[in-house]
Structure formats: structure tokens, C-alpha cells
Amino acid sequence: MLAASGPRALAIGILGILVNTGRVSAEPADAKRQADALTRDGNRLGMAGHYAEAIERFKAAEARFPRAEHDCNIGLAYRRLGRAAQAFFFLDRCRSRAAAGEVQAWAQLNLNTTLRLLRRGQFAPIEILAEPPGAMVQISGFAPDELVVPPRVIWLPLGHQTLTTTLEGHAPDVRVMQIASAESRRVHIVLQLVPAPAAPAPAAPKEAISPPFRAPEPAPPASVRAEPSASPLAAGVRPAPA
């Protein structure tokens, strides 16, 4: 049990699930109050043995007001459920997020306990590396929102495991691993860019439409041609007076 010490003290439930009771934050006060209420509810569920429901509450609290203690709570609840791989994932993340102090020390203590369980069971440590930075890895058996952000070491049970790595603008990488022994191994994933769609070719200019060709009309035959008149009147000349 951690001892309380001043305004930043941590209240520990019977199961060791943490509740932060005095942290000052620049986040909106109502978001923190909501997270604290969800954490207390998770504590009650955990102490009653409803660990899956407690995990849901702690995840909801994290969504409203992120802090390392939520990962510790989730990790401990997973360990109570007998899911050591997920317990290690969250306890390790809690330890890495927490500043040096009571929370980090508590997380390290419980992380060491979980490691002993993993080393006795059918699990293997897997170091996951991924390029480019920002890629996230979904592990089969983990909840969809429990994404691994490389580089990170996780523990996975022996057998077939599927790793799906995604990053916006890149083709996803899906690979099935056969973990046959407890020996450590490294997985290096390199995502490929999705080619940008080719620009459409410019439309061909429309050809000007010419009027249809018309052959010249033939001249009338000579027999019907008008002959010039021999009359001087026809020529516009007035005859001389008699």
C-alpha cells in the first residue's frame, strides 16, 4: 500500500487500483471531475470482482482526462482477469508515462510481479519496430482500442498471432506470426506509401465542325443563255428624232 502524502496523495483501494485525489491540471475542471467519478466507479466494480466493467470505466476516464494512473488501473484489472499480456502492456505504459514518484514506483513493482507470471507461462517477449514514425499496431487478442505504438516490447502468448500495422497514407501491413518458444524476437515493419492517384489526361480539343461541302452549280446550257438585245433601246440609247 502507498502511504498518503500531502495534496498529491493517492488513495489505494483494496485491490490496489489507484484513484488520483489531488492533481491540479490546466484541463477543464469538469473533465477532471468526470474522470474522477468514472475512476471511483471503476474502483467499486473492481473491488466487487467485476474487472471487465472496471476496465471500461477506466478507459472512459482516460478519454476524458488522460493520466498515467488510468493505465495502472487497467493493467491491474487485467492481471486480476488472468490476462498477463495486456496487464504488462498497460503497467509498462503507466510506468513510462508517470513522473518519478509514487505512481511510477507502484507501476514498477506491479510490472515486476507481472513479468514473473509471464516468464513462468507460455509467453514470449516481442520487440516491435515500425517505420515511418506514427504507425500503430493492432495485436490479435487485444481490444481494438489497445494499440501498440512502436518502438515497444510486449509479451504475447505462444501460438499464432496477427499483427496489423496502419498509418494514414500507407498500405496496411498484416502479418501472422508463429511464436513457438519463449525466446525473445524482434519484428521490424516498414510501411509502403500508397501511390497518389494519377491525374486524368487532359481532354482532346474538339475539332471545328466545317459546313458540308457543296459543289458549284453547273452553268446553264448555251441554248438557254440570254442573248444581248440588238435594239438600241435595250442598250439604253434613245433613237435620233426623225
Side-chain angles (χ1 to χ4, degrees):
M1 302 257 318
L2 296 179
S5 57
R8 297 173 64 86
L10 298 174
I12 309 299
I14 294 174
L15 298 177
I17 299 176
L18 304 178
V19 181
N20 186 299
T21 60
R23 172 167 297 184
V24 177
S25 172
E27 295 290 337
D30 58 342
K32 182 180 182 299
R33 283 194 296 270
Q34 291 172 11
D36 287 343
L38 286 163
T39 302
R40 286 191 294 270
D41 195 21
N43 266 333
R44 289 191 292 270
L45 288 166
M47 288 186 286
H50 304 301
Y51 305 118
E53 292 86 346
I55 289 171
E56 292 178 2
R57 299 299 193 281
F58 296 139
K59 286 183 176 181
E62 172 70 10
R64 285 165 174 77
F65 190 81
R67 54 191 177 198
E69 288 90 330
H70 298 142
D71 280 343
C72 280
N73 293 336
I74 297 168
L76 181 61
Y78 266 131
R79 199 173 76 193
R80 299 292 189 181
L81 278 171
R83 299 174 65 176
Q86 286 93 329
F88 176 86
F89 172 73
F90 280 100
L91 290 169
D92 184 47
R93 202 166 71 171
C94 175
R95 178 189 56 79
S96 63
R97 290 175 65 187
E102 292 177 334
V103 174
Q104 191 180 71
W106 183 95
Q108 186 63 62
L109 178 64
N110 283 270
L111 191 62
N112 293 340
T113 302
T114 304
L115 274 172
R116 288 194 292 270
L117 295 173
L118 289 166
R119 288 168 178 154
R120 289 202 303 263
Q122 299 295 303
F123 295 88
I126 310 295
E127 182 183 9
I128 300 180
L129 306 174
E131 298 178 43
M136 293 187 292
V137 184
Q138 171 66 53
I139 309 294
S140 57
F142 282 48
D145 60 342
E146 296 171 356
L147 298 173
V148 177
V149 180
R152 184 164 290 278
V153 175
I154 61 173
W155 286 71
L156 296 178
L158 304 187
H160 289 90
Q161 301 294 335
T162 302
L163 278 64
T164 303
T165 308
T166 56
L167 178 63
E168 185 177 359
H170 295 72
D173 180 286
V174 181
R175 60 183 65 192
V176 178
M177 299 174 54
Q178 171 60 32
I179 305 176
S181 70
E183 295 181 358
S184 62
R185 60 192 299 178
R186 173 181 292 175
V187 179
H188 191 181
I189 302 161
V190 180
L191 297 180
Q192 302 298 320
L193 278 169
V194 175
K206 294 183 178 180
E207 295 184 0
I209 301 176
S210 301
F213 173 77
R214 297 181 64 181
E217 296 183 3
S223 59
V224 297
R225 288 183 181 175
E227 294 292 340
S229 173
S231 169
L233 293 176
V237 178
R238 298 179 66 184

